[in-house]
Amino acid sequence: ACTLRENAAALDAEQELVGVTHPFHPLFERRLPCVGRRQNRHGARLLLQTEDGAVWSVPPHWTDLASPDPEVVVGHGRAALRVSDLLALADLVERLRGKLVG
């Protein structure tokens, strides 16, 4: 796992490269150095640094550090969305609909 760095711009040969696996993330399929870890109100975050020096905060479960999702493994990657994703989307649509109507 990546370690906390005082200066995210200081890259060295021992830094771990982390791949972004979330298909809708702008950094999808890129492997970037992990320059730190943080905890915020949304949970654990990894700090990944791009070539231009920008640091992106990414949840660990959106990277190759997470265990493979059993639904994706069983479906051999064919499903566009998992059941939990569809339920979350339905909940979001319902909440947004309530704001538009109410």
Side-chain angles (χ1 to χ4, degrees), residues 72-84:
V72 174
V73 172
V74 169
H76 303 287
R78 292 183 302 241
L81 295 170
R82 299 171 303 151
V83 171
S84 59

Side-chain angles (χ1 to χ4, degrees), residues 83-93 95:
V83 171
S84 59
D85 296 330
L86 290 172
L87 291 172
L89 178 60
D91 181 57
L92 175 62
V93 168
R95 285 185 288 144

